[in-house]
Amino acid sequence: MRRVIPWLLVLSVLAAFAWTLLFLYRKAQTKPVVWRTVAAEYRDVVKKTVATGSIVPRREVLIKSRVSGVLHKLSAVPGQLVKAGSLLGEVKILPNVVNVGNAEARLESARISLANAEREYERNRGLYREQLISQGEFNRADLDLSLAKQELKAATDNVALVKEGAIKGSHKGSNQIVSTVDGMVIDVPVKEGATVIEANTFNEGTTIAAVADMADLIFQGKVDESEVGKLKSGMPTTIRIGALQGERFEGQLEYLSPKGVEKEGTIEFEIRARIDLKPGLFIRDNYSAAAEIVLARAEHVLTLPESVIHFDDTLGQAEPSNPSAGIGDRRQGSVEVELSPQVFERRNIEVGLSDGIYTQVLQGLTASDHVKLPNPGELP
């Protein structure tokens, strides 16, 4: 028994050593690499750029006060439909003491002049009846009386304008705020009792209400300087509004700003695009939106995933005159085409339009060719 135990220990050590060698050998063996492939297929390729911005009315008018004072009455309500000339509010004028004094002095002078003209008229009328003066002298007295009456009326109206902002007996006055256009009231930034300032040469005045035509909306956004050179007026756009999930609006690019604005170290250019609204769908002002502008389009062309193509150099850039032509940039690239299972051959190809995921193949491949993916086991 004592002789068996040492032999068992020796055999155990040898078995453990052999198992360790076998384990290390198997660990060192490289597993065969199996490359997956992807086939070229026909699809539509659309090259586009995305601009962020908001939805705004094409025409928005800020209604200002024509006199300074206190907003005595406010009838404008956001969402209200108004016509040109509709009353939006009234301002109670805080009269200037100097202007009131001048107006009342003018009124008193007009009363004195009228009293004097009436006396002269009565005296000349008596003399004219007795044929002591001529017809011309009597007519001059009558004219002076008419002018004095007109001056008194003008002075009275001036006092009313200075104090109240309106002439007595008139339905309209400078203290009344009316809409200048047809549309919807989209904003009322003031409340009754607020002090307002008139619009003049040195001050833009207090905004009483903003009126806009909500049936004519546009997309207003900005694009980077690297993209603005590819844009042209008339390009089709697809506009998505963040608040209206699932809704898409077609439009057309209308305006490209000739001047860029620097923002956080980059130059941005303003763009505007028309929106084709849908019946029965109300869009609010300043909705955030994104516009997809189609730069070029290729329909039913042979394509490959861009990740499988190795680009060597650029043959040239030939943008199509028609965005739907689908020629785009012509570039030289290469792919590894499968000749037989797991046997590949490198082949040069010419590619065209790309949307960032799929690239149009112009020459070098057919629909029956299979191309090796960059990494083993990778799916397109």
Side-chain angles (χ1 to χ4, degrees):
M1 187 65 182
R2 291 180 180 179
R3 295 180 179 180
V4 175
I5 292 176
W7 285 105
L8 291 176
L9 292 176
V10 172
L11 291 176
S12 299
V13 172
L14 293 176
F17 181 72
W19 182 86
T20 302
L21 292 177
L22 180 62
F23 173 78
L24 294 176
Y25 174 78
R26 291 180 177 178
K27 196 72 175 178
Q29 293 298 313
T30 302
K31 295 182 180 180
V33 178
V34 178
W35 295 93
R36 294 192 178 185
T37 61
V38 62
E41 58 182 350
Y42 287 93
R43 67 173 66 243
D44 297 340
V45 180
V46 180
K47 184 179 182 181
K48 55 190 176 183
T49 185
V50 178
T52 58
S54 58
I55 306 298
V56 297
R58 186 185 299 275
R59 292 177 298 173
E60 180 178 343
V61 180
L62 301 180
I63 308 299
K64 307 284 186 176
S65 174
R66 292 177 290 176
V67 294
S68 299
V70 176
L71 189 60
H72 174 66
K73 181 181 178 181
L74 182 63
S75 57
V77 179
Q80 175 186 359
L81 295 175
V82 296
K83 296 288 186 180
S86 299
L87 182 64
L88 302 180
E90 294 182 3
V91 176
K92 183 179 180 181
I93 296 178
L94 300 178
N96 185 282
V97 178
V98 176
N99 294 338
V100 172
N102 293 335
E104 290 180 345
R106 177 186 172 188
L107 177 60
E108 188 62 26
S109 298
R111 287 173 179 169
I112 295 172
S113 298
L114 177 60
N116 182 64
E118 288 176 345
R119 288 194 299 269
E120 288 294 323
Y121 176 79
E122 291 297 332
R123 185 176 67 82
N124 285 309
R125 186 173 64 173
L127 294 174
Y128 178 69
R129 287 177 178 176
E130 295 177 3
Q131 297 183 352
L132 297 177
I133 59 174
S134 64
Q135 177 74 32
E137 292 181 0
F138 176 71
N139 289 341
R140 282 195 297 272
D142 183 60
L143 176 62
D144 292 340
L145 178 61
S146 299
L147 292 176
K149 290 180 178 178
Q150 183 62 33
E151 177 62 21
L152 178 63
K153 182 179 183 303
T156 303
D157 292 343
N158 186 46
V159 172
L161 285 173
V162 171
K163 290 184 176 181
E164 305 294 336
I167 300 174
K168 293 182 179 180
S170 175
H171 298 289
K172 294 185 178 181
S174 59
N175 67 325
Q176 293 184 337
I177 304 166
V178 297
S179 175
T180 57
V181 294
D182 298 343
M184 176 184 291
V185 178
I186 60 175
D187 186 27
V188 181
V190 295
K191 296 182 179 180
E192 289 186 2
T195 302
V196 298
I197 303 174
E198 65 177 311
N200 52 48
T201 307
F202 304 101
N203 196 308
E204 63 178 5
T206 304
T207 300
I208 305 301
V211 180
D213 183 6
M214 298 302 291
D216 186 9
L217 302 176
I218 62 172
F219 168 83
Q220 181 174 311
K222 294 183 181 296
V223 295
D224 189 76
E225 60 180 333
S226 60
E227 298 289 343
V228 73
K230 306 173 185 178
L231 304 181
K232 296 179 181 178
S233 296
M235 284 185 169
T237 62
T238 301
I239 300 167
R240 300 176 185 271
I241 300 176
L244 303 177
Q245 297 293 334
E247 293 288 346
R248 297 177 56 185
F249 300 86
E250 300 301 323
Q252 191 176 46
L253 194 62
E254 290 184 341
Y255 171 78
L256 291 170
S257 175
K259 180 181 179 181
V261 178
E262 183 177 358
K263 182 180 180 181
E264 298 180 358
T266 61
I267 304 298
E268 295 182 340
F269 291 81
E270 180 183 350
I271 64 170
R272 298 174 195 160
R274 187 195 75 237
I275 303 177
D276 298 332
L277 300 179
K278 298 180 180 180
L281 188 60
F282 178 69
I283 300 178
R284 303 179 188 276
D285 182 20
N286 214 27
Y287 266 161
S288 60
E292 297 177 353
I293 306 171
V294 177
L295 303 177
R297 181 190 301 271
E299 298 180 353
H300 195 65
V301 293
L302 191 64
T303 63
L304 274 177
E306 189 166 333
S307 59
V308 305
I309 305 174
H310 305 278
F311 293 103
D312 299 328
D313 58 354
T314 302
L315 295 179
Q317 297 188 11
E319 289 288 345
S321 58
N322 181 7
S324 63
I327 303 301
D329 299 343
R330 303 178 69 93
R331 294 175 293 172
Q332 187 73 28
S334 62
V335 294
E336 294 189 46
V337 182
E338 186 177 34
L339 301 180
S340 59
Q342 297 300 302
V343 177
F344 300 94
E345 176 190 41
R346 195 174 190 86
R347 184 182 301 176
N348 292 330
I349 61 172
E350 187 176 347
V351 297
L353 192 65
S354 173
D355 60 4
I357 301 176
Y358 292 96
T359 301
Q360 177 188 6
V361 179
L362 299 176
Q363 294 180 1
L365 281 182
T366 63
S368 59
D369 291 329
H370 287 71
V371 177
K372 184 175 73 172
L373 293 173
N375 298 316
E378 180 183 351
L379 293 176

